[in-house]
Amino acid sequence: MKTCLVVDDSRVIRKVSRRILEDLGFEVAEASDGVEAMAWCSAVMPDAILLDWIMPGMDGMEFLKRLRAEPGGDRPKVVFCSGETDIGRIREALDAGADEYIMKPFDGAIVAGKLAWLGVAA
């Protein structure tokens, strides 16, 4: 079974994401910030990561840069999920190693389509 780590400081977003991902057949783990997410990835590298940008502790951009520097950190497909609309900031995320970008709010069809396009969901 494929695994997905949902990294978001909003418990509501994590819960909605979990439901969507479980319906897609993923085993889901959650982290409330980048620090918690790094600890999780150090133990078990997921197949995919849904990543919020703005979080306390360690934000999504710092997490992404650290993840990509870790052994095996190039493997997970990372999808930034944020309300950020500035094209320059979205480009920054993609240049830093994100595989895709989803605008909040999102729904199951959007998540399924992005993960299928990235080859981690049917």
Side-chain angles (χ1 to χ4, degrees):
M1 177 178 283
K2 298 217 179 215
T3 57
C4 186
L5 176 62
V6 178
V7 186
D8 200 298
D9 58 327
S10 167
R11 195 169 65 93
V12 172
I13 296 292
R14 291 194 311 268
K15 184 177 180 178
V16 168
S17 298
R18 172 180 286 278
R19 187 168 301 134
I20 290 168
L21 292 162
E22 286 176 343
D23 286 349
L24 294 172
F26 282 89
E27 182 178 322
V28 180
E30 299 177 20
S32 61
D33 62 29
V35 174
E36 192 178 334
M38 279 306 303
W40 202 89
C41 290
S42 294
V44 180
M45 196 63 75
D47 297 297
I49 300 172
L50 294 185
L51 179 62
D52 186 24
W53 194 310
I54 301 170
M55 298 176 290
M58 182 190 303
D59 70 11
M61 186 62 74
E62 185 177 344
F63 166 78
L64 179 60
K65 290 175 182 176
R66 288 187 184 190
L67 172 74
R68 294 305 193 206
E70 288 290 309
D74 59 333
R75 188 175 58 83
K77 298 297 184 184
V78 176
V79 179
F80 255 111
C81 301
S82 180
E84 180 64 60
T85 59
D86 181 85
I87 194 71
R89 296 284 286 164
I90 295 169
R91 172 58 40 209
E92 179 185 350
L94 296 171
D95 289 345
D99 295 288
E100 216 11 286
Y101 189 88
I102 295 174
M103 296 283 295
K104 287 181 180 176
F106 53 83
D107 62 20
I110 292 169
V111 173
K114 292 289 186 176
L115 293 176
W117 186 81
L118 292 171
V120 290

